[in-house]
Amino acid sequence: MQALLLIHAFPLNRRMWDPQIAALKSEFEVIAPDIRGFGEYQPPSPWTMDEMADDLRTMLDSLGIQTCTVAGVSMGGYIALAFWSKYPERISRLVLANTRARADNETEKNARNEMIAAIQQNGTAILPDRMLPRLLRPNAPHDVLLAVRKMIEEASDSAATYAVMAMRDRVDFSTSLHRINFPTMVVTGADDVIIRAEDSRALADAIPGSRFITIPGSGHLSNLENPEEFNRALLGFLRL
Ligand code: MLT
């Protein structure tokens, strides 16, 4: 069975992949870990994207998996690119959804610092109201809204802080994308306000031979907001 490693977004956990696990587990060995600090992977400790890549390599080693498809949504995409940069030989295919390759600019870094200060002052209770309107398209299905809210509420203050720090300090991969030499699919949400469709298009254009897919009826969390279309795109790509 082909292995498929799914890396979740911020500040969610592995449960955001439930619709993909249900649809794909009979055909693929699906691995959807909680990253450090989130979900069941406690307690948190500060980490960098590089260390997260090492965590994933250790996990694949322990499962005896040599190569796999790596798919990440948003922060999961940042981690996927860090993993690619350190361990390209472990990837057979790559899916970059609602994500970008460049590092944060100064304005974005300042916004990260403001968010860290707000979490330190008031805890992750501030996150749902700040993030939900940006993560999901307007009028997203109520059950999706509730599920995402619940995952955000479960994130601990330190996990959220460390993840924001890791995102703020991540390396810029935008000038090395031409070196990606395996099948890659870039996914965007038609209504994503965090990573705009045109930025995803530019990401796809920078990766030789990549496939570019727009998920209709979806904001930033395309795999959750329109799982039917996301799964169709993913399966089409995996069965290539
Ligand atoms: C995510 O969805 O993982 C984050 O919003 C990404 C980010 O803040 O850059």
Side-chain angles (χ1 to χ4, degrees):
M1 245 188 198
Q2 226 189 101
L4 171 63
L5 171 60
L6 303 174
I7 315 173
H8 67 78
F10 171 86
L12 308 181
N13 58 53
R14 68 186 301 276
R15 295 205 313 278
M16 75 167 270
W17 292 110
D18 282 353
Q20 285 66 50
I21 296 170
L24 299 167
K25 68 178 182 206
S26 61
E27 210 174 318
F28 299 91
E29 180 178 0
V30 185
I31 308 137
D34 285 322
I35 65 161
R36 246 188 240 194
F38 292 88
E40 290 172 13
Y41 190 173
Q42 303 283 343
S45 53
W47 52 270
T48 61
M49 293 293 163
D50 236 37
E51 288 165 335
M52 190 52 58
D54 293 343
D55 275 6
L56 295 176
R57 203 247 2 236
T58 304
M59 187 194 63
L60 292 179
D61 286 350
S62 71
L63 294 169
I65 294 171
Q66 260 319 303
T67 60
C68 61
T69 295
V70 176
V73 168
S74 197
M75 178 182 74
Y78 307 156
I79 296 171
L81 284 171
F83 183 79
W84 162 68
S85 128
K86 280 194 98 167
Y87 306 112
E89 72 285 357
R90 305 300 290 264
I91 304 185
S92 51
R93 284 165 201 268
L94 181 62
V95 178
L96 297 171
N98 308 85
T99 196
R100 56 164 67 96
R102 69 164 175 81
D104 279 2
N105 59 34
E106 278 315 303
T107 310
E108 289 158 347
K109 281 185 201 286
N110 289 338
R112 301 275 192 211
N113 288 334
E114 190 277 323
M115 186 179 265
I116 291 165
I119 295 169
Q120 281 169 350
Q121 203 172 352
N122 301 303
T124 47
I126 57 151
L127 291 180
D129 288 348
R130 277 183 178 225
M131 296 202 67
L132 281 169
R134 288 167 51 75
L135 286 176
L136 301 173
R137 71 176 158 88
N139 304 319
H142 195 59
D143 58 331
V144 173
L145 182 76
L146 288 182
V148 174
R149 175 178 278 279
K150 189 160 189 319
M151 283 186 265
I152 297 176
E153 284 170 352
E154 286 168 11
S156 71
D157 296 356
S158 46
T161 302
Y162 299 145
V164 176
M165 287 173 173
M167 290 193 285
R168 177 196 62 195
D169 299 336
R170 72 189 191 280
V171 169
D172 195 319
F173 290 114
S174 50
T175 56
S176 42
L177 296 170
H178 61 279
R179 291 196 283 108
I180 295 182
N181 59 357
F182 38 70
T184 299
M185 179 169 75
V186 174
V187 178
T188 189
D191 304 312
D192 190 340
V193 293
I194 296 181
I195 313 275
R196 303 264 175 200
E198 55 268 31
D199 295 331
S200 293
R201 170 94 248 176
L203 173 62
D205 287 347
I207 301 174
S210 70
R211 177 182 272 231
F212 178 65
I213 301 275
T214 301
I215 306 293
S218 142
H220 188 58
L221 299 178
S222 55
N223 71 306
L224 270 176
E225 295 183 74
N226 192 343
E228 294 78 18
E229 285 298 324
F230 188 95
N231 291 351
R232 197 195 323 275
L234 187 55
L235 273 170
F237 176 65
L238 292 173
R239 287 178 181 150
L240 268 182

